[in-house]
mmCIF file of all heavy atoms in Angstrom:
data_model
loop_
_atom_site.group_PDB
_atom_site.id
_atom_site.type_symbol
_atom_site.label_atom_id
_atom_site.label_comp_id
_atom_site.label_asym_id
_atom_site.label_seq_id
_atom_site.Cartn_x
_atom_site.Cartn_y
_atom_site.Cartn_z
ATOM 1 N N THR A 62 97.937 91.652 86.620
ATOM 2 C CA THR A 62 97.579 90.706 85.567
ATOM 3 C C THR A 62 96.175 90.188 85.821
ATOM 4 O O THR A 62 95.903 89.636 86.895
ATOM 5 C CB THR A 62 98.555 89.500 85.560
ATOM 6 O OG1 THR A 62 99.892 89.998 85.506
ATOM 7 C CG2 THR A 62 98.286 88.585 84.381
ATOM 8 N N GLU A 63 95.292 90.388 84.866
ATOM 9 C CA GLU A 63 93.943 89.842 85.000
ATOM 10 C C GLU A 63 94.014 88.331 84.911
ATOM 11 O O GLU A 63 94.671 87.786 84.036
ATOM 12 C CB GLU A 63 93.037 90.366 83.884
ATOM 13 C CG GLU A 63 92.547 91.757 84.110
ATOM 14 C CD GLU A 63 91.519 92.193 83.069
ATOM 15 O OE1 GLU A 63 90.943 91.334 82.366
ATOM 16 O OE2 GLU A 63 91.311 93.408 82.956
ATOM 17 N N ARG A 64 93.320 87.646 85.841
ATOM 18 C CA ARG A 64 93.275 86.192 85.757
ATOM 19 C C ARG A 64 91.877 85.684 85.444
ATOM 20 O O ARG A 64 91.717 84.579 84.958
ATOM 21 C CB ARG A 64 93.849 85.527 87.004
ATOM 22 C CG ARG A 64 92.988 85.576 88.238
ATOM 23 C CD ARG A 64 93.590 84.740 89.357
ATOM 24 N NE ARG A 64 92.667 84.663 90.475
ATOM 25 C CZ ARG A 64 92.957 84.110 91.633
ATOM 26 N NH1 ARG A 64 94.154 83.590 91.825
ATOM 27 N NH2 ARG A 64 92.071 84.075 92.591
ATOM 28 N N VAL A 65 90.849 86.499 85.731
ATOM 29 C CA VAL A 65 89.461 86.137 85.425
ATOM 30 C C VAL A 65 88.722 87.402 85.005
ATOM 31 O O VAL A 65 88.904 88.456 85.621
ATOM 32 C CB VAL A 65 88.743 85.534 86.666
ATOM 33 C CG1 VAL A 65 87.263 85.310 86.395
ATOM 34 C CG2 VAL A 65 89.408 84.254 87.118
ATOM 35 N N ARG A 66 87.900 87.297 83.964
ATOM 36 C CA ARG A 66 86.992 88.388 83.591
ATOM 37 C C ARG A 66 85.692 87.746 83.148
ATOM 38 O O ARG A 66 85.662 87.006 82.181
ATOM 39 C CB ARG A 66 87.565 89.251 82.475
ATOM 40 C CG ARG A 66 86.624 90.411 82.101
ATOM 41 C CD ARG A 66 87.203 91.341 81.056
ATOM 42 N NE ARG A 66 88.150 92.285 81.595
ATOM 43 C CZ ARG A 66 87.829 93.467 82.118
ATOM 44 N NH1 ARG A 66 86.580 93.851 82.172
ATOM 45 N NH2 ARG A 66 88.773 94.267 82.570
ATOM 46 N N LYS A 67 84.632 88.018 83.914
ATOM 47 C CA LYS A 67 83.295 87.516 83.588
ATOM 48 C C LYS A 67 82.326 88.673 83.741
ATOM 49 O O LYS A 67 81.973 89.044 84.857
ATOM 50 C CB LYS A 67 82.893 86.388 84.536
ATOM 51 C CG LYS A 67 83.706 85.120 84.379
ATOM 52 C CD LYS A 67 83.234 84.053 85.344
ATOM 53 C CE LYS A 67 84.112 82.825 85.235
ATOM 54 N NZ LYS A 67 83.803 81.829 86.255
ATOM 55 N N GLY A 68 81.938 89.259 82.607
ATOM 56 C CA GLY A 68 81.017 90.388 82.653
ATOM 57 C C GLY A 68 81.620 91.539 83.431
ATOM 58 O O GLY A 68 82.705 92.017 83.113
ATOM 59 N N ASP A 69 80.944 91.969 84.501
ATOM 60 C CA ASP A 69 81.419 93.109 85.302
ATOM 61 C C ASP A 69 82.310 92.674 86.465
ATOM 62 O O ASP A 69 82.629 93.473 87.332
ATOM 63 C CB ASP A 69 80.240 93.948 85.801
ATOM 64 C CG ASP A 69 79.343 93.211 86.784
ATOM 65 O OD1 ASP A 69 79.582 92.004 87.036
ATOM 66 O OD2 ASP A 69 78.399 93.827 87.303
ATOM 67 N N TYR A 70 82.725 91.401 86.482
ATOM 68 C CA TYR A 70 83.561 90.878 87.557
ATOM 69 C C TYR A 70 84.957 90.571 87.007
ATOM 70 O O TYR A 70 85.092 89.935 85.963
ATOM 71 C CB TYR A 70 82.946 89.600 88.128
ATOM 72 C CG TYR A 70 83.781 88.940 89.193
ATOM 73 C CD1 TYR A 70 83.725 89.384 90.509
ATOM 74 C CD2 TYR A 70 84.625 87.870 88.891
ATOM 75 C CE1 TYR A 70 84.491 88.783 91.502
ATOM 76 C CE2 TYR A 70 85.394 87.265 89.878
ATOM 77 C CZ TYR A 70 85.320 87.724 91.174
ATOM 78 O OH TYR A 70 86.077 87.136 92.147
ATOM 79 N N VAL A 71 85.982 91.056 87.722
ATOM 80 C CA VAL A 71 87.371 90.832 87.305
ATOM 81 C C VAL A 71 88.188 90.438 88.531
ATOM 82 O O VAL A 71 88.019 91.021 89.602
ATOM 83 C CB VAL A 71 87.987 92.114 86.686
ATOM 84 C CG1 VAL A 71 89.440 91.890 86.299
ATOM 85 C CG2 VAL A 71 87.178 92.588 85.499
ATOM 86 N N GLU A 72 89.072 89.448 88.359
ATOM 87 C CA GLU A 72 90.066 89.133 89.378
ATOM 88 C C GLU A 72 91.430 89.460 88.796
ATOM 89 O O GLU A 72 91.713 89.111 87.642
ATOM 90 C CB GLU A 72 90.032 87.649 89.765
ATOM 91 C CG GLU A 72 88.814 87.271 90.563
ATOM 92 C CD GLU A 72 88.781 85.798 90.938
ATOM 93 O OE1 GLU A 72 89.787 85.081 90.717
ATOM 94 O OE2 GLU A 72 87.737 85.375 91.457
ATOM 95 N N ALA A 73 92.258 90.144 89.577
ATOM 96 C CA ALA A 73 93.581 90.547 89.105
ATOM 97 C C ALA A 73 94.633 90.194 90.154
ATOM 98 O O ALA A 73 94.419 90.376 91.353
ATOM 99 C CB ALA A 73 93.609 92.040 88.815
ATOM 100 N N VAL A 74 95.768 89.708 89.661
ATOM 101 C CA VAL A 74 96.909 89.362 90.504
ATOM 102 C C VAL A 74 97.846 90.566 90.533
ATOM 103 O O VAL A 74 98.230 91.083 89.477
ATOM 104 C CB VAL A 74 97.649 88.127 89.939
ATOM 105 C CG1 VAL A 74 98.850 87.787 90.808
ATOM 106 C CG2 VAL A 74 96.701 86.942 89.817
ATOM 107 N N TYR A 75 98.181 91.015 91.718
ATOM 108 C CA TYR A 75 99.035 92.191 91.906
ATOM 109 C C TYR A 75 100.354 91.805 92.561
ATOM 110 O O TYR A 75 100.397 90.918 93.414
ATOM 111 C CB TYR A 75 98.367 93.188 92.867
ATOM 112 C CG TYR A 75 97.330 94.074 92.253
ATOM 113 C CD1 TYR A 75 96.078 93.587 91.922
ATOM 114 C CD2 TYR A 75 97.594 95.412 92.025
ATOM 115 C CE1 TYR A 75 95.119 94.410 91.380
ATOM 116 C CE2 TYR A 75 96.641 96.244 91.484
ATOM 117 C CZ TYR A 75 95.400 95.737 91.163
ATOM 118 O OH TYR A 75 94.457 96.554 90.622
ATOM 119 N N GLN A 76 101.391 92.535 92.203
ATOM 120 C CA GLN A 76 102.633 92.567 92.959
ATOM 121 C C GLN A 76 102.849 94.045 93.261
ATOM 122 O O GLN A 76 102.838 94.873 92.343
ATOM 123 C CB GLN A 76 103.794 92.030 92.145
ATOM 124 C CG GLN A 76 103.728 90.535 91.921
ATOM 125 C CD GLN A 76 104.958 90.033 91.190
ATOM 126 O OE1 GLN A 76 105.364 90.606 90.199
ATOM 127 N NE2 GLN A 76 105.540 88.969 91.700
ATOM 128 N N ALA A 77 103.000 94.351 94.541
ATOM 129 C CA ALA A 77 103.139 95.749 94.943
ATOM 130 C C ALA A 77 104.067 95.845 96.145
ATOM 131 O O ALA A 77 104.282 94.868 96.868
ATOM 132 C CB ALA A 77 101.769 96.332 95.293
ATOM 133 N N GLY A 78 104.582 97.042 96.349
ATOM 134 C CA GLY A 78 105.459 97.261 97.482
ATOM 135 C C GLY A 78 105.343 98.677 98.002
ATOM 136 O O GLY A 78 105.027 99.598 97.257
ATOM 137 N N ALA A 79 105.579 98.815 99.303
ATOM 138 C CA ALA A 79 105.574 100.134 99.939
ATOM 139 C C ALA A 79 106.351 100.049 101.249
ATOM 140 O O ALA A 79 106.224 99.065 101.985
ATOM 141 C CB ALA A 79 104.143 100.597 100.214
ATOM 142 N N PHE A 80 107.138 101.070 101.521
ATOM 143 C CA PHE A 80 107.878 101.189 102.775
ATOM 144 C C PHE A 80 108.719 99.949 103.080
ATOM 145 O O PHE A 80 108.824 99.515 104.227
ATOM 146 C CB PHE A 80 106.925 101.501 103.936
ATOM 147 C CG PHE A 80 106.073 102.716 103.710
ATOM 148 C CD1 PHE A 80 104.710 102.589 103.504
ATOM 149 C CD2 PHE A 80 106.641 103.974 103.665
ATOM 150 C CE1 PHE A 80 103.915 103.707 103.271
ATOM 151 C CE2 PHE A 80 105.855 105.096 103.434
ATOM 152 C CZ PHE A 80 104.497 104.966 103.240
ATOM 153 N N GLY A 81 109.281 99.344 102.041
ATOM 154 C CA GLY A 81 110.146 98.184 102.213
ATOM 155 C C GLY A 81 109.430 96.848 102.323
ATOM 156 O O GLY A 81 110.068 95.812 102.471
ATOM 157 N N TYR A 82 108.120 96.840 102.249
ATOM 158 C CA TYR A 82 107.345 95.604 102.296
ATOM 159 C C TYR A 82 106.863 95.270 100.882
ATOM 160 O O TYR A 82 106.466 96.162 100.133
ATOM 161 C CB TYR A 82 106.117 95.757 103.206
ATOM 162 C CG TYR A 82 106.464 95.990 104.651
ATOM 163 C CD1 TYR A 82 106.567 97.288 105.162
ATOM 164 C CD2 TYR A 82 106.686 94.930 105.511
ATOM 165 C CE1 TYR A 82 106.892 97.503 106.487
ATOM 166 C CE2 TYR A 82 107.010 95.136 106.847
ATOM 167 C CZ TYR A 82 107.108 96.428 107.329
ATOM 168 O OH TYR A 82 107.424 96.648 108.636
ATOM 169 N N MET A 83 106.892 93.994 100.513
ATOM 170 C CA MET A 83 106.383 93.542 99.217
ATOM 171 C C MET A 83 105.156 92.665 99.456
ATOM 172 O O MET A 83 105.114 91.891 100.415
ATOM 173 C CB MET A 83 107.451 92.746 98.455
ATOM 174 C CG MET A 83 108.599 93.586 97.952
ATOM 175 S SD MET A 83 108.112 94.905 96.805
ATOM 176 C CE MET A 83 107.467 93.957 95.442
ATOM 177 N N PHE A 84 104.177 92.798 98.560
ATOM 178 C CA PHE A 84 102.923 92.060 98.687
ATOM 179 C C PHE A 84 102.534 91.452 97.347
ATOM 180 O O PHE A 84 102.581 92.120 96.329
ATOM 181 C CB PHE A 84 101.793 92.993 99.153
ATOM 182 C CG PHE A 84 102.095 93.688 100.446
ATOM 183 C CD1 PHE A 84 102.608 94.980 100.444
ATOM 184 C CD2 PHE A 84 101.872 93.061 101.658
ATOM 185 C CE1 PHE A 84 102.901 95.628 101.634
ATOM 186 C CE2 PHE A 84 102.160 93.705 102.853
ATOM 187 C CZ PHE A 84 102.671 94.992 102.846
ATOM 188 N N ASP A 85 102.153 90.191 97.379
ATOM 189 C CA ASP A 85 101.531 89.515 96.246
ATOM 190 C C ASP A 85 100.103 89.234 96.690
ATOM 191 O O ASP A 85 99.888 88.619 97.744
ATOM 192 C CB ASP A 85 102.232 88.190 95.928
ATOM 193 C CG ASP A 85 103.659 88.411 95.432
ATOM 194 O OD1 ASP A 85 103.868 89.329 94.624
ATOM 195 O OD2 ASP A 85 104.547 87.648 95.854
#
Side-chain angles (χ1 to χ4, degrees):
T62 308
E63 282 187 17
R64 74 173 187 186
V65 173
R66 181 176 281 273
K67 293 181 184 173
D69 66 356
Y70 177 82
V71 178
E72 289 180 8
V74 179
Y75 279 74
Q76 289 184 313
F80 305 110
Y82 295 93
M83 290 300 296
F84 303 97
D85 294 318

